[in-house]
Amino acid sequence: MAKPQVQPELVPKPNVHKFGGSSLKDAIRIEQVVATIKNKVQTGDFVVVSANGKVTDLLLGLIQGQTDDIAKLQSYLFDLVTAVLENPDQLIKKMTQDLQWLQSQIILSDFNTHEILALGELWSAQLLSAKLAESELSNHWLDARDLFVLNSQNQLNNTQAAKHKLFEVFYNCGNEASLPKLHIVTGFIARDLQGQSITLGRNGSDYTATLLSDLLSSPSVYLWTDVDGVYTADPNVIASARRIEQLTIAEAQALSELGSNVLHHKTIAPILHQPPRLKINTCGSVTAGTVVEKNKPKCASQRDFKVKTLAGKNNLVFMSIGEVDELKARQIQAQLTAEQIANYANHFDKTSHTLSFYVEHDDWFSTTQWLKKQGLAIQQQLSGVSLLSAVGENIRQNHQVVSKILNRSAQFDVHNIHYPANDHTLCVLLPDAQAPQLLQDLHHTFFGLEPSIPIVVLGYGNIGRQFLKILNSKKTEIEQQVKQSLSVVAVANSRFYQFDEQCLLAQHIELNEKNNDGQLLQKLQRYAGKPLVVIDLTASEQVAGHYLEFAQNGWHLISANKIAAADHAWAKQIESTLLKSQMTWLKNTTVGAALPVQNAIVRIHESGDQIKQVSGVFSGTLSWLFGHYNGQKPFMDWVKQAHEKGYSEPDQRDDLSGEDVYRKALILARECGFEPEEINFKPVLPQEYLTGSLDDFWQQQDGINAHIQDLWEQAQSNQQNLCYLAMVNAESIDVELVAIEQQHAAAGLKPGDNVFVIESAWYADNPLVIQGPGAGKEVTAAGVLNDLIAVLKT
């Protein structure tokens, strides 16, 4: 009876190193590869190589009929060999023969594409072998087609034979004395069951490396690429992307299935059962690269499952095929993979019997041709789609991670949310044009501060500029407070706007797009039904007229504009609409600038107390004007100065008409739950001075000065002061300019201060008094910021 064959073991076990095409594209990089081999590669290790630089692309061009590429290919190869080798003649002679054979093949109609593509790896292996020999590093090169036989699914079919072949290679047919230091192996190529050459797809050399590693039981596999590891995102897109020190096998496999540029889609499969340490780095790197090791223990808590990286793939084409059953759908997916057509986000709809998937644009033509040959009809096609994927072990078991991804994605025109078969990935498919912003948002979310919902600032006058100035100067503190990065996407006035989804903060704001016909509001329709906060720092009736539309779009509102808030019926409709979508309307700066008047009223109501009356000086501008006016300087000079300091409304008549105070009184009445029927409202100035244009108003300044002078002198004769007072209760609203006694609570106000006297059932004998600055761009901007922080914290 024959003894069972004992599988040979290699001692010591060799490591496997793979060098990609970009690492071998020119003489300088090949020198770096040689230096890496000298420093990092041990005796008996295996080195897998891809084709040099652009060789594969030029070969593909020839296959596709671009005959001029033969001259480009020859020039590139000969220049490279001449630059790398001291004695290039022998290799150039061999390449010349290969190129002659190549020319003879491409004129045929039935040439073997894979035989042609294999030339790239063959030339690369021979070039590196010759360079190492010149550097006195003993080596030999191997054609991987003599090692690997793969089935139709690109799975190894000759495991035992390949192991014996490698054993013979390692020990050089049993003669240990002639053991070469290095074994150079072609990546990317193998043979099929019929003995024909096949290729393993883009980045297939990674797969060659892990196949070798599995057969050799290697302790480590090194993938030397053009980057020093796997990053939290593509560093070419996200400047703040960071290198990941460690990935689990599950995470690496998930990345490879997404068509990662660093890991081939079959790279991980051979080493799943007995994983070596997989190290990804670049030649000459001073970092440790990224190490791929065993998975986390199963007992790890949900909180340990975090996003490790964000993978992106753009320029995809969505395709759907109808009238197929589930078995046929699976067969199509398998056959596409066998044709080396990468397909992503596959989904079979059992109801409509439809299979949908995405392919790379470069594969679109071959995919459509293959489908036609199979007699399959394409129902839908959509190009320009990006696939963004969050990857981390078991992240789909972490509901916070899933929720954040879905919430951030809700702001974009998502084509599909895809849940792969594993728990380690969640994919979002959306237009190419929007992918960079979502990638930026998600990167902030998981590796920095999560971006806030988009912020739109309407009004770029004194208050608007001051508000943005505060956001810029206090950005770090504000972001730490709300645990989000501020995302101001638009700033506008009535004539111009600036828009940037990447955030306008830290930029020079220059309103350069026309806005005279509501162009910004049209642009903002892309956010309809998505989170957004609109900050209205205007005094515009036109802007206030859009509040209901904003509410219907599901947007938060922050108002310094009093117009809508002072209209009881209009405000009620807006609030009712916002309530349905659980959005917020904060208008604390409509009364008292940054003073917490409305908050105090809300708290009093919530405590069960009943407010009886609110009275006082509601206008910081009028407080400032009458606090400074002493009969020595014309009243209108003080009005000009108030405007210059940013204390007044853009149209000063809004202050001097008393309309501003009257609106505040209406707002407070509504906040208090009052519905007064008696209105006693008198403007600061007689109506004759307030009609006409703003120019007409200023032309009457002499008459205005005389009118105020007369009133002031009358008050002074009775030892009184002029004060524009308001009083609000359930029965009436009283707003008028009066002469008050010296002992009145408003008589001692600092110019510019407001005072609000709140009387309630509990604050009857000793009313609650809120006093402080009620005018000025600084305090109003600060109050708006308080409202914004409150919204962002919800």
Side-chain angles (χ1 to χ4, degrees), residues 452 455 457 467-476 478-479 485-491 498 500 502-509 788:
S452 72
I455 300 165
V457 179
F467 175 67
L468 290 166
K469 180 180 178 181
I470 295 174
L471 287 189
N472 266 315
S473 63
K474 301 293 183 181
K475 184 172 183 289
T476 301
I478 297 167
E479 290 179 338
S485 61
L486 297 174
S487 182
V488 177
V489 299
V491 177
Q498 187 174 353
D500 189 343
Q502 300 294 327
C503 185
L504 292 170
L505 291 182
Q507 295 186 31
H508 171 65
I509 294 178
L788 176 60

Side-chain angles (χ1 to χ4, degrees), residues 144-145 147-151 155-158 190-193:
R145 294 174 298 181
L147 291 173
F148 304 129
V149 176
L150 305 183
N151 62 22
Q155 296 168 335
L156 191 62
N157 196 71
N158 65 330
R191 294 199 185 278
D192 62 16
L193 297 176

Side-chain angles (χ1 to χ4, degrees), residues 270-548:
I271 58 175
L272 280 174
H273 64 285
Q274 188 180 357
R277 297 187 77 211
L278 184 65
K279 301 179 181 179
I280 303 166
N281 210 331
T282 189
C283 296
S285 171
V286 296
T287 74
T290 297
V291 178
V292 180
E293 297 184 298
K294 293 181 180 180
N295 296 336
K296 292 174 182 162
K298 291 185 178 180
C299 60
S301 72
Q302 184 189 105
R303 287 173 298 180
D304 294 329
F305 302 141
K306 299 177 181 178
V307 173
K308 283 287 193 68
T309 184
L310 298 166
K313 208 160 194 65
N314 59 11
N315 206 17
L316 300 179
V317 180
F318 169 75
M319 308 181 82
S320 68
I321 305 165
E323 300 180 8
V324 294
D325 57 28
E326 190 168 3
L327 176 60
K328 183 62 176 177
R330 290 178 181 174
Q331 291 173 341
I332 292 170
Q333 293 174 48
Q335 289 168 334
L336 286 173
T337 301
E339 292 289 325
Q340 296 188 13
I341 297 173
N343 47 100
Y344 308 99
N346 293 276
H347 175 69
F348 176 70
D349 190 319
K350 294 180 180 180
T351 304
S352 62
H353 299 284
T354 301
L355 171 66
S356 61
F357 54 87
Y358 300 77
V359 298
E360 297 186 47
H361 189 270
D362 289 345
D363 290 331
W364 169 78
F365 179 76
S366 57
T367 305
T368 55
Q369 293 299 107
W370 182 85
L371 291 172
K372 286 179 182 178
K373 286 180 182 179
Q374 306 302 313
L376 298 167
I378 302 171
Q379 286 188 337
Q380 283 184 297
Q381 292 188 76
L382 177 67
S383 59
V385 181
S386 285
L387 172 71
L388 293 185
S389 306
V391 178
E393 188 170 354
N394 292 320
I395 56 169
R396 293 228 305 271
Q397 296 179 25
N398 187 331
H399 302 306
Q400 287 186 341
V401 168
V402 175
S403 177
K404 285 182 178 181
I405 294 171
L406 296 180
N407 287 340
R408 298 310 308 169
S409 302
Q411 301 176 39
F412 298 85
D413 299 324
V414 173
H415 186 247
N416 189 13
I417 299 288
H418 178 63
Y419 297 82
N422 64 69
D423 272 349
H424 318 308
T425 315
L426 181 57
C427 306
V428 181
L429 293 119
L430 73 167
D432 281 338
Q434 297 182 18
Q437 180 61 42
L438 178 56
L439 180 60
Q440 185 81 46
D441 282 5
L442 291 175
H443 196 268
H444 276 303
T445 298
F446 293 112
F447 306 107
L449 288 173
E450 182 176 354
S452 72
I453 60 176
I455 300 165
V456 174
V457 179
L458 304 180
Y460 195 51
N462 288 329
I463 297 172
R465 291 173 188 272
Q466 181 64 25
F467 175 67
L468 290 166
K469 180 180 178 181
I470 295 174
L471 287 189
N472 266 315
S473 63
K474 301 293 183 181
K475 184 172 183 289
T476 301
E477 296 93 321
I478 297 167
E479 290 179 338
Q480 291 299 323
Q481 186 176 352
V482 299
K483 296 181 172 57
Q484 301 168 58
S485 61
L486 297 174
S487 182
V488 177
V489 299
V491 177
N493 60 23
S494 59
R495 293 175 299 158
F496 297 97
Y497 75 91
Q498 187 174 353
F499 179 87
D500 189 343
E501 287 184 314
Q502 300 294 327
C503 185
L504 292 170
L505 291 182
Q507 295 186 31
H508 171 65
I509 294 178
E510 183 178 347
L511 309 188
N512 48 20
E513 298 286 341
K514 287 186 178 180
N515 194 38
N516 56 332
D517 196 26
Q519 287 91 335
L520 175 60
L521 297 183
Q522 295 170 27
K523 199 175 193 72
L524 292 177
Q525 285 307 305
R526 69 181 64 187
Y527 293 103
K530 302 173 183 177
L532 185 82
V533 54
V534 177
I535 301 175
D536 181 9
L537 305 181
T538 73
S540 166
E541 289 188 23
Q542 185 178 8
V543 173
H546 286 286
Y547 277 19
L548 184 58

